[in-house]
Amino acid sequence: MPTAWQRLRYGLRIAAHEPTTLIGVLAALLFAYLIVVPIISMLLDAVQVQLGDGRRIKAETGDLTWYYLERTFTSRVAQSLFWEPLVNTLSVAFGAIVISVAVGGSLAWLLARTDMFGRKWFATALIVPYMLPAWTFALAWTTLFKNRTVGGQVGWFEALGLSPPDWLSYGRLPVTLILALHYAPFIILLFGNALRRFDSQLEDSARILGAGRITVTRKIILPLMLPSLLSAVVLIFAKCLGEFGVPYVLGLPVNFDVLATSLYRNISSRQTGVAAVLAGCIMLIGIITIIIDAKLIKEARRFVTIGSKGSMDRIQPLGRMRIPATAFAACIFLFSVGLPLLTLFLSTVMRIPARFTLDNFTLDYWIGSDLNTVALQTGILLSPDLWNAAWNSLSIVGLASITSGLLGLLVGYVVVRTPVRPLATFLRQVTFLPYLVPGIAFAAAYLSLFAVPRGPIPALYGTTLILMLALIADQMPYASRAGISAMMQLGKDPEEAAQVAGAGWFRRMRSIVVPIQKGSLVTGILLPFISGIKGLSLFVVLAVPSTDVLTTYSLRLVDYHYTQAANAVVLIIAGIAYFGTLLGQKLTKTNLAQGLGG
C-alpha cells in the first residue's frame, strides 16, 4: 500500500502535467494581486502614518499609529466623521427595508397568487426600477422639490410658488423613499418566486382541518416564506450600505452624510488614513451582512417542502378588490418609474421649470448651440465631453466586461477540472471576495494601492487602466459564478476525444469549450457590462475629468448645477441600462421577472 508521501508525489506529478494547474496558479496570483492586495493595502493605511500627516502625528511616514482609529471613533470630530453617518446609514437602510417589504411584499403576493389585471405586464414593469441607476430617481426628486437651500435653477414646486421644506427636499426622508422604491424589486423577485413555488396543498390541508385564513397565513405561509424574505432584506441592507449616488445628490445640501459619502469626503480632502478606517468599517459591516445571508440560505433548507401539483400557481380571485389592486400596482409603477422619467425628460426640454406653455419648450439643451452657460455652451448631444465620457464608458466597461467574462469562464474551467482541490477552493473564495466589499470601499482600496508607484508598477491613478482593473475585479463574483456553473454542466468527454485526436489545450478551449459555453460567456460579459454602465460608487473615487465615464460626467454636471444637461445624461444612461438588460434577457433566454438573475 503506498505511503502518504508516495500518494502526494503521485498527485503532484499528475497535477504538473495538467494545464489547469499552471493556469490556476497564474489566475490565483493575478486575483490575489487584484483583489486581496488592494484590501490589505487599504487596511494598512488605517494604522500607518500617511504622507503629510507626520508633523501632526509627530511620527515618520509609514510608522504604525492608532491616530486614525482614534480620530474616527473617539475624537471631537468622530461624531461627524463616523457615528452620525453610521446612524444615518442604518436609519436609511432600515427605513428602506420596512417600506420595500410593505410595498414589494404586497405586489409580490398580487403578482404570484391573485387574478389582478395585467399580471404578466406588471411582472416585468415593476422591476424596471432595479434596471435603472438609483440616482436617476434622486435627480427627478430634486428637479421637483429643489428649494433655495441650493443654488442654480429652482425646482418645479418652487417655480409654481410653493417652497418645499428642507426635510422634504433633502436628507433622510427622500433618500429612504427612493432607495425603498429602487430595491422593492428585490422583494418582488425573491419573495414572489418563493410564493410561486409554495405548495398550495399545505394551505388546503390546513383549511380542511378548520384553520382560518389568518391562522394559515401566520402558521404556514409566513414561516415557509420567511427565509426568502429575510434574504431579500439582507441584500437590500447590503446595497443601501454602499449606495453613494442618492445620498450624495439629496444629502449634500443639508450635510446629511452616510458612511459612503463620509468616505468620499475624506478621500476628496486627502484624509486617506481616516478614509481607510471608514472603508474598513463599511467592508466589515458588508461581510457580516453577507455571512448572515449565507446563514439564512442554509436555514431555508429546513423549510423545503415536497410537493407535486400542489406547487403549481394557485390563483385567488380578488373579486371587488381586483380593480383597486390593479390601481395600487399602477400607482407604484407611476411613482417609481413613469413620473421620475417623465420629469427628467420634461426638464430637459423646458427653458423655465414647470411652465407648460408651448413657447417654453425647446431642444436647446439637447442639440442647441451658443447657450448662455459658462462651461457648457452647446446642447448635450453636441458636447465633446459627452461623447468622450460615452466612449470611455463603452470602451472601459466593454473591455473590462469581456475580460471578466473570459476570466470567469477560465476560473470555472480550473475550479471544475483541476486535480488540486486547494487551488480550486482558493479561486472560488478569492473571486467571491469583492461581493463582500461595497463598491465605494473597494474603490478606496484600489486608490490606496495604485495611487503611488509600487515596485515595477507605476502610479495608475488618473488612467483608464485603474478603472478597468477595478471593474474587472469588482465584477468577478458574478463572472466566476457563471463560469463555474457552466463548467459543472459540461462533461469531460468532448475534451478527452479532442485530446486523443491530438488537439492541444488552447485548441480544445477555442474549438470546444468556448463554443459550447457561449451562452454562459455572454451572460458573464453582459451582466458586468450593464452593472458597469450604470455604476457610480466605483468610478466616483477613481475617475478624473480626463477619464470621466457617463455616470461621473453627469454627477459633475450636478455639481455645476446644470440641471437639464445632467438629467439628459442620466436619461441616456437609463436607456442603455434598460435596453441592455432586455437584450441580455433575450440573448440568454432568461426572464428577470421569474427570479433574480434568471
Side-chain angles (χ1 to χ4, degrees):
M1 185 173 179
T3 63
W5 170 246
Q6 289 174 326
R7 288 197 301 270
L8 178 61
R9 287 182 59 189
Y10 178 75
L12 291 175
R13 192 179 300 114
I14 294 296
H17 286 85
E18 279 286 332
T20 53
T21 303
L22 177 60
I23 297 167
V25 169
L26 293 176
L29 292 174
L30 174 66
F31 291 124
Y33 186 72
L34 292 182
I35 296 174
V36 178
V37 174
I39 293 174
I40 293 175
S41 175
M42 178 195 70
L43 295 177
L44 287 176
D45 283 349
V47 294
Q48 288 182 334
V49 178
Q50 300 299 299
L51 185 67
D53 292 336
R55 183 176 298 179
R56 183 189 311 138
I57 302 175
K58 298 179 181 178
E60 295 294 326
T61 301
D63 288 350
L64 292 178
T65 179
W66 297 105
Y67 172 78
Y68 302 116
L69 293 169
E70 293 171 354
R71 181 173 175 80
T72 304
F73 297 133
T74 61
S75 71
R76 289 180 297 176
V77 295
Q79 186 69 19
S80 60
L81 279 180
F82 177 75
W83 296 110
E84 191 174 320
L86 175 64
V87 171
N88 291 339
T89 300
L90 296 178
S91 66
V92 165
F94 287 126
I97 286 169
V98 170
I99 297 172
S100 61
V101 167
V103 173
S106 302
L107 291 172
W109 181 76
L110 289 173
L111 292 172
R113 302 298 298 275
T114 73
D115 62 346
M116 180 185 73
F117 290 113
R119 287 173 63 222
K120 187 175 181 181
W121 184 83
F122 279 117
T124 299
L126 290 172
I127 62 171
V128 170
Y130 182 64
M131 300 180 189
L132 306 177
W135 45 282
T136 302
F137 313 110
L139 290 182
W141 186 282
T142 195
T143 298
L144 290 172
F145 293 100
K146 185 177 180 181
N147 61 23
R148 297 186 186 277
T149 299
V150 179
Q153 196 173 59
V154 297
W156 284 19
F157 284 104
E158 188 86 43
L160 293 172
L162 303 172
S163 184
D166 282 353
W167 61 266
L168 180 61
S169 300
Y170 312 104
R172 194 184 320 274
L173 177 64
V175 172
T176 303
L177 288 175
I178 287 171
L179 291 181
L181 291 176
H182 180 66
Y183 292 123
F186 269 178
I187 305 293
I188 297 173
L189 291 166
L190 296 176
F191 185 54
N193 208 31
L195 280 172
R196 278 190 290 271
R197 295 196 306 266
F198 175 69
D199 192 344
S200 301
Q201 291 176 353
L202 299 173
E203 196 176 349
D204 295 340
S205 300
R207 287 181 178 169
I208 290 173
L209 294 174
R213 180 169 295 181
I214 295 177
T215 303
V216 171
T217 301
R218 182 169 56 88
K219 293 193 173 182
I220 296 178
I221 297 178
L222 284 182
L224 290 173
M225 297 298 104
L226 194 58
S228 62
L229 185 61
L230 289 178
S231 185
V233 164
V234 171
L235 285 174
I236 292 172
F237 179 81
K239 292 288 186 180
C240 289
L241 182 66
E243 177 59 43
F244 171 80
V246 175
Y248 182 83
V249 172
L250 294 174
L252 190 66
V254 290
N255 293 319
F256 179 82
D257 267 334
V258 295
L259 286 175
T261 54
S262 180
L263 170 60
Y264 179 73
R265 283 178 185 268
N266 280 278
I267 290 175
S268 301
S269 59
R270 300 185 182 279
Q271 298 294 318
T272 53
V274 173
V277 176
L278 291 172
C281 292
I282 295 173
M283 185 177 71
L284 178 61
I285 299 172
I287 290 173
I288 293 172
T289 302
I290 301 302
I291 290 174
I292 293 173
D293 182 52
K295 293 288 186 183
L296 292 175
I297 292 174
K298 186 177 180 180
E299 184 72 10
R301 295 173 183 170
R302 295 177 50 209
F303 296 91
V304 172
T305 59
I306 299 174
S308 52
K309 294 183 180 179
S311 60
M312 295 168 59
D313 288 347
R314 184 71 61 86
I315 303 302
Q316 297 181 6
L318 290 173
R320 290 179 299 178
M321 294 302 295
R322 195 178 184 191
I323 292 178
T326 307
F328 169 68
C331 286
I332 295 300
F333 176 78
L334 178 66
F335 284 110
S336 64
V337 180
L339 186 60
L341 293 181
L342 181 62
T343 300
L344 289 179
F345 174 73
L346 288 177
S347 72
T348 66
V349 294
M350 284 183 171
R351 289 190 177 90
I352 300 174
R355 180 181 292 180
F356 295 92
T357 58
L358 194 59
D359 61 341
N360 190 47
F361 287 93
T362 180
L363 292 177
D364 283 353
Y365 299 112
W366 287 96
I367 56 174
S369 57
D370 298 325
L371 302 183
N372 188 25
T373 51
V374 177
L376 191 68
Q377 298 183 352
T378 65
I380 196 67
L381 293 179
L382 301 181
S383 170
D385 292 338
L386 171 75
W387 295 108
N388 287 335
W391 169 249
N392 286 340
S393 290
L394 294 175
S395 59
I396 293 170
V397 176
L399 287 173
S401 301
I402 292 171
T403 304
S404 62
L406 292 171
L407 287 175
L409 188 62
L410 202 60
V411 168
Y413 184 85
V414 173
V415 167
V416 174
R417 296 282 195 264
T418 182
V420 186
R421 301 325 300 169
L423 181 61
T425 302
F426 178 79
L427 280 175
R428 272 179 176 270
Q429 300 301 329
V430 76
T431 54
F432 185 72
L433 185 59
Y435 189 78
L436 306 177
V437 185
I440 191 82
F442 198 67
Y446 259 67
L447 187 64
S448 169
L449 181 64
F450 293 111
V452 296
R454 295 182 186 273
I457 307 298
L460 298 180
Y461 180 65
T463 68
T464 58
L465 184 58
I466 191 174
L467 298 177
M468 288 182 58
L469 292 176
L471 190 58
I472 290 168
D474 188 57
Q475 297 299 329
M476 280 312 298
Y478 310 102
S480 65
R481 285 321 183 257
I484 292 170
S485 176
M487 290 306 303
M488 289 181 69
Q489 299 172 23
L490 178 63
K492 293 183 178 181
D493 294 345
E495 274 192 275
E496 290 176 347
Q499 191 173 9
V500 170
W505 177 83
F506 185 78
R507 177 69 183 274
R508 298 198 303 271
M509 287 292 293
R510 182 169 57 87
S511 302
I512 297 176
V513 176
V514 172
I516 292 176
Q517 300 294 1
K518 60 183 178 182
S520 300
L521 181 59
V522 170
T523 302
I525 292 173
L526 202 56
L527 292 181
F529 178 79
I530 295 166
S531 177
I533 283 290
K534 67 178 184 176
L536 177 62
S537 298
L538 198 68
F539 293 122
V540 74
V541 173
L542 299 175
V544 297
S546 62
T547 59
D548 259 343
V549 292
L550 285 172
T551 50
T552 56
Y553 177 57
S554 64
L555 203 64
R556 213 176 297 280
L557 292 172
V558 170
D559 291 338
Y560 293 155
H561 302 299
Y562 290 163
T563 304
Q564 290 95 339
N567 290 352
V569 176
V570 168
L571 285 174
I572 293 171
I573 298 169
I576 295 173
Y578 174 71
F579 289 109
T581 303
L582 295 184
L583 177 63
Q585 292 184 163
K586 186 173 182 179
L587 290 176
T588 58
K589 294 181 173 59
T590 58
N591 184 2
L592 194 59
Q594 298 302 319
L596 194 59

